[in-house]
Amino acid sequence: MKILIAEDDTRLLKSLLHIFTLNKFSADGVSNGKEALEYALTGEYDGLVLDIMMPGMDGIEVLKTLRRKSVTTPALFLTARTEVSQRVDGLDAGADDYLPKPFSTAELLARVRAMLRRKENYIPELLTFGGLTLNRSTYEISCQTNRQALSGKEFQVLEILMQKPGMIVTAEQILTHVWGWNAEIDTSSVWVHISNLRKKMDKIKVPVIIRFVRGAGYILEEGP
């Protein structure tokens, strides 16, 4: 398993690299948010261990950016004990877990192993793209502080589009995802739900559009 560690305290970073290497992990270390983002975007890592407070770009912003780009690598935040609100922000940003400092080596390794065991079945609670967030627990879309509830079918239609941002999704694929492969539902039902989604997205001023491609399907892309 390969781990990326982002920590701006050079002594702690060195210790963390030693701990993971000693315990049979492959580990890379960086000391700021910008480098953490660049390394994580390569897709080479099975897990991320991110300090929240880093220069330039903090750990929360790093993870938000990764999730917006559909990078689902599981992540654990290292936090100061007083950073309660930041821990909440980190979990809302898509983190799997957090560990307050100071921590024991045994607990760090146990939490990372648990995080990696979940990797194959990892499904982020929040799907994000271009400023649009879809919450899988509440069936809500949000943009900044604006929120809008979706029906069950609207949620499922948007879910498949957000799983393939920038890619054409056919009406048949949407029908199968939402109603099942053998459902006797006309493709006009897809159009109705797409229309409703567009209205709700416009209502909260989402900078994302669902574009129809004639003869092909629908594509979720960033708006003008």
Side-chain angles (χ1 to χ4, degrees):
M1 289 289 185
K2 191 171 185 179
I3 303 293
L4 175 65
I5 306 165
E7 168 61 60
D8 67 333
D9 183 323
T10 55
R11 291 180 62 187
L12 179 54
L13 177 59
K14 185 176 180 180
S15 295
L16 289 169
L17 288 169
H18 177 72
I19 288 169
F20 281 105
T21 302
L22 192 64
N23 285 274
K24 312 302 181 184
F25 288 91
S26 174
D28 290 334
V30 296
S31 58
N32 61 68
K34 183 179 178 181
E35 287 185 331
L37 180 61
E38 291 175 353
Y39 276 60
L41 283 173
T42 63
E44 296 179 5
Y45 299 95
D46 298 293
L48 310 174
V49 176
L50 306 173
D51 185 25
I52 285 185
M53 300 300 293
M54 291 188 290
M57 178 184 287
D58 66 28
I60 292 174
E61 188 56 37
V62 170
L63 190 59
K64 284 183 176 179
T65 303
L66 290 171
R67 296 300 186 244
R68 282 197 298 268
K69 294 179 178 293
S70 299
V71 176
T72 60
T73 309
L76 178 147
F77 274 125
L78 301 179
T79 74
R81 289 190 181 275
T82 56
E83 296 169 348
V84 177
S85 62
Q86 289 180 322
R87 294 203 295 269
V88 173
D89 289 343
L91 293 172
D92 285 343
D96 291 69
D97 202 355
Y98 68 85
L99 183 61
K101 301 174 185 176
F103 48 80
S104 71
T105 297
E107 184 177 10
L108 170 65
L109 292 171
R111 287 178 179 267
V112 169
R113 284 194 296 265
M115 178 179 75
L116 294 176
R117 282 196 298 270
R118 296 192 296 268
K119 180 175 184 287
E120 290 187 2
N121 299 317
Y122 178 73
I123 300 176
E125 183 178 346
L126 302 177
L127 290 176
T128 58
F129 174 71
L132 170 65
T133 298
L134 176 65
N135 190 314
R136 279 175 152 145
S137 294
T138 63
Y139 283 27
E140 288 181 324
I141 55 172
S142 61
C143 180
Q144 297 181 351
T145 59
N146 301 318
R147 297 180 183 278
Q148 179 67 50
L150 303 180
S151 70
K153 293 292 190 292
E154 289 166 355
F155 165 79
Q156 289 176 289
V157 171
L158 186 57
E159 180 184 43
I160 189 172
L161 291 170
M162 291 193 72
Q163 287 173 333
K164 301 180 179 182
M167 299 173 60
I168 292 174
V169 180
T170 67
E172 288 72 21
Q173 287 175 313
I174 295 174
L175 283 171
T176 300
H177 179 75
V178 179
W179 287 276
W181 67 271
N182 62 344
E184 296 181 1
I185 301 294
D186 190 85
T187 55
S188 62
S189 296
V190 173
W191 181 88
V192 170
H193 289 294
I194 292 286
S195 178
N196 291 337
L197 278 171
R198 285 170 172 159
K199 291 174 184 176
K200 291 185 176 182
M201 289 163 64
D202 286 343
K203 188 174 182 179
I204 62 172
K205 298 179 172 57
V206 175
V208 171
I209 61 172
I210 302 174
R211 183 166 63 88
F212 175 65
V213 181
R214 186 176 297 276
Y218 299 89
I219 181 170
L220 189 73
E221 58 187 18
E222 296 188 47

